[in-house]
Amino acid sequence: MMAKACDHWDLNKEKESGTANASPTCIRCNHMKIGSTARRTKRLRHLSSAEVFPHGNLRVSTMVSRHRAQSKESESHVSSSSSSLRSYSSSPPGNNEPWTPESTEVMILSPEKLLAAPTDFQTTSDALRTVMNLEQFSAIHSPFAFGDSFFPTSQKTIYVILQLSAPILTEGYLAFLGLMTNYQKSPVIRRSEPDILKAAKGLQCLRSVKISHDYDAACALFLGQTMYVFNVLTTPHSSTAHAIVRSALISAKPWLPRLVQAPIMDTITMTPILVDTVECLVHREIPIIRLDPQPRVLVDRYLGLCATLLPHLYDICVCSNTLKREGPAVGSELHSVMHDQLDEIEEKIRRWRPQTPSGLFDSYGQHAVLAMVTHANVYRLAALLILHRLRYPLGIEDGAAWKLANGIFSELSFFAKSAVNVNEVTAFPVVFPLTMAMFEIHGPGEDLVERLASFTIQGVCLARLQEFVKLARATRESGYEGIWFDLVDTNLRVAVPP
């Protein structure tokens, strides 16, 4: 009997092909490590709730009716949060209640006045006009979200922060907006030359910001990530981009426990935490924030499904930093303790599978889900590869490293072949795991860099990292027997974004 589409893909009117003796498991879901069963009977209206993910089988299940009810409630909450902005909390950040911007006395300009504003980016009105126009907002922010489904909430959140903190945020955000017009997939907004003066003013505001309210902290986090992007794209060989994000996180750190409890703030809080963690993995530093497990399932525009992996990545950074600073001799007590900790972290990561909400496909679409699942799988493999290379220098136990690298290549190749309509996926933040894999094996990574070039920002960063990859390979071939991390401080001159 012909195996038909599984329930996950059927939600999006997607049909799978099969063979006469096909397994009842959907071929696409099987490769993605999403557990599914190809249907032979009429689809049930209610599917089972999310289950614990067994090893090698990432199960995504859906409760359609429950999700729709939750979606309506969420839309109502977001709408009220963004339209009635009047009072804000200045209570101590130890308060456990989550913060959402509820209302403010700040004047909201009419859409007619905003849309009539000039097309260059010079004033707060220009920024607000762009944020309020969904087409323009999407064109600017598409490189930083897995798909279109993330834009409406991000749009409302950024509008709120801009309204509440315009004097702090405007200059830096305008510089970001002008720069990003050069990276539109389709020309929606007039192209603009990078405004270095506005960017400098934005950095000055970030350095001098005084945080006394939750929205001040949110503003600092958002300004930090926009200035990080500006630095990465305009200063190819700068090593200061990471410091910008860390500065923002240090300023906002006391307020983050409250901010991360508010789903509407994910678009502001998650990206700088991810950026800092990835850079710290490469440079063997300790991230500013350890994102502890949350009582809700978190799906973010740029972090995707990896929120519960971040604490493990943080723990890797702590061990790696200790080994870098202390340099314990092999066989010493500290060396044994550190390696025991690495073993414990590795076991947790091998068992790790991302949490997924009910209605995942219905909420985000099949292409964005494919991207997020691939992203989660390659980050898990990259974490295991980092752990392996902290234990073994280049030339030692290479077989295990190559297996992990090939796993990353395989996941990314499957995505590149499966994402037929690439416009459905607007960002694919896999610069870090692909670079880790390319240290180990020559060939497949270079092919993938070309195939993923449609993701503009990620493509630019991958191209710049190729010089360091080539240097690491050449050093290895010349007989170098250390760990590749030791090459970073003296030879890595570019940012390593997620």
Side-chain angles (χ1 to χ4, degrees):
M1 183 175 181
M2 188 74 73
K4 296 184 179 181
C6 77
D7 287 317
H8 304 147
W9 302 107
D10 186 68
L11 286 173
N12 293 278
K13 305 285 189 288
E14 184 76 11
K15 293 185 178 180
E16 298 286 347
S17 61
T19 61
N21 298 316
S23 164
T25 300
C26 166
I27 296 172
R28 182 177 297 181
C29 287
N30 184 55
H31 190 100
M32 287 171 64
K33 299 182 178 61
I34 299 180
S36 69
T37 301
R39 292 181 301 107
R40 302 178 190 275
T41 59
K42 185 177 180 180
R43 177 166 60 95
L44 297 176
R45 293 299 298 169
H46 298 274
L47 306 179
S48 62
S49 58
E51 300 177 15
V52 177
F53 306 118
H55 179 70
N57 183 23
L58 175 58
R59 182 174 296 277
V60 178
S61 48
T62 312
M63 184 75 88
V64 176
S65 60
R66 183 174 68 184
H67 164 69
R68 287 174 179 167
Q70 290 173 340
S71 296
K72 290 180 180 179
E73 180 181 351
S74 176
E75 289 174 5
S76 174
H77 171 71
V78 169
S79 176
S80 63
S81 296
S82 61
S83 62
S84 60
L85 316 165
R86 192 183 38 160
S87 66
Y88 14 83
S89 168
S90 59
S91 57
N95 189 336
N96 290 325
E97 294 181 3
W99 173 76
T100 53
E102 300 209 344
S103 54
T104 182
E105 297 175 355
V106 176
M107 180 183 68
I108 299 179
L109 300 177
S110 68
E112 293 78 13
K113 289 184 179 180
L114 291 172
L115 293 174
T119 56
D120 57 352
F121 300 103
Q122 298 297 324
T123 67
T124 302
S125 292
D126 295 335
L128 289 169
R129 167 185 49 79
T130 303
V131 172
M132 289 183 68
N133 185 310
L134 183 57
E135 183 183 18
Q136 293 185 2
F137 180 87
S138 301
I140 292 290
H141 292 85
S142 61
F144 312 104
F146 278 104
D148 293 345
S149 57
F150 291 97
F151 291 144
T153 299
S154 296
Q155 181 187 24
K156 294 171 184 176
T157 306
I158 293 172
Y159 178 82
V160 168
I161 299 303
L162 190 58
Q163 281 279 344
L164 292 172
S165 304
I168 299 172
L169 181 58
T170 297
E171 296 291 344
Y173 189 52
L174 287 171
F176 167 82
L177 290 174
L179 175 67
M180 291 307 299
T181 60
N182 294 290
Y183 296 91
Q184 302 169 85
K185 286 191 175 181
S186 57
V188 175
I189 309 174
R190 187 175 65 189
R191 290 178 176 270
S192 175
E193 292 299 318
D195 194 328
I196 303 299
L197 179 59
K198 285 191 181 301
K201 291 179 179 178
L203 285 173
Q204 184 177 6
C205 287
L206 182 61
R207 286 195 297 265
S208 60
V209 64
K210 291 181 172 53
I211 297 178
S212 56
H213 299 279
D214 295 288
Y215 63 84
D216 291 335
C219 173
L221 290 171
F222 185 58
L223 181 58
Q225 58 195 281
T226 57
M227 292 293 91
Y228 172 85
V229 171
F230 192 95
N231 185 282
V232 167
L233 295 178
T234 59
T235 316
H237 302 291
S238 171
S239 58
T240 60
H242 184 202
I244 295 172
V245 170
R246 286 179 73 82
S247 174
L249 285 167
I250 290 171
S251 298
K253 184 175 182 179
W255 304 87
L256 267 163
R258 276 161 49 102
L259 293 180
V260 297
Q261 294 180 55
I264 196 173
M265 297 307 299
D266 290 347
T267 193
I268 301 292
T269 57
M270 293 299 119
T271 298
I273 296 175
L274 174 63
V275 168
D276 182 40
T277 302
V278 165
E279 292 271 15
C280 285
L281 282 168
V282 174
H283 292 276
R284 308 185 74 183
E285 299 174 355
I286 300 177
I288 302 299
I289 302 294
R290 187 183 194 274
L291 182 65
D292 294 324
Q294 299 298 306
R296 61 188 173 92
V297 178
L298 199 155
V299 182
D300 178 61
R301 63 178 174 92
Y302 209 62
L303 181 59
L305 303 171
C306 288
T308 52
L309 180 64
L310 279 183
H312 302 315
L313 300 183
Y314 180 97
D315 294 341
I316 293 175
C317 291
V318 172
C319 290
S320 179
N321 180 260
T322 300
L323 290 169
K324 176 183 179 181
R325 288 185 297 103
E326 303 295 336
V330 176
S332 67
E333 183 177 354
L334 180 58
H335 184 274
S336 298
V337 169
M338 288 295 101
H339 280 255
D340 287 345
Q341 290 183 15
L342 292 176
D343 290 341
E344 293 176 7
I345 297 169
E346 179 180 2
E347 182 61 28
K348 291 177 182 177
I349 293 176
R350 289 193 180 278
R351 295 197 307 264
W352 177 82
R353 295 297 182 274
Q355 296 177 327
T356 57
S358 61
L360 183 67
F361 283 84
D362 203 25
S363 299
Y364 303 101
Q366 66 183 50
H367 296 287
V369 171
L370 172 61
M372 289 191 288
V373 170
T374 303
H375 175 261
N377 288 339
V378 298
Y379 262 77
R380 175 178 169 274
L381 291 169
L384 294 174
L385 184 54
I386 288 278
L387 287 166
H388 183 79
R389 282 309 182 195
L390 285 172
R391 295 191 189 93
Y392 302 107
L394 300 173
I396 306 296
E397 295 290 338
D398 286 345
W402 295 341
K403 183 177 180 180
L404 291 168
N406 277 322
I408 293 173
F409 294 143
S410 177
E411 293 282 350
L412 295 177
S413 295
F414 179 76
F415 171 80
K417 294 175 183 177
S418 301
V420 178
N421 187 358
V422 74
N423 291 327
E424 296 290 335
V425 180
T426 57
F428 196 38
V430 293
V431 174
F432 164 69
L434 181 53
T435 303
M436 297 303 101
M438 291 175 69
F439 285 150
E440 304 294 338
I441 302 174
H442 175 76
E446 281 73 10
D447 294 338
L448 282 166
V449 169
E450 294 181 8
R451 295 169 70 178
L452 299 177
S454 59
F455 300 101
T456 52
I457 306 303
Q458 290 81 31
V460 168
C461 295
L462 279 168
R464 290 175 181 172
L465 281 164
Q466 298 315 294
E467 290 303 316
F468 182 65
V469 171
K470 292 177 182 177
L471 184 144
R473 287 174 180 162
T475 303
R476 179 180 192 165
E477 292 169 0
S478 67
Y480 176 74
E481 296 180 348
I483 59 176
W484 64 258
F485 298 96
D486 291 338
L487 303 175
V488 168
D489 291 340
T490 55
N491 296 287
L492 184 60
R493 295 287 181 265
V494 297
V496 185

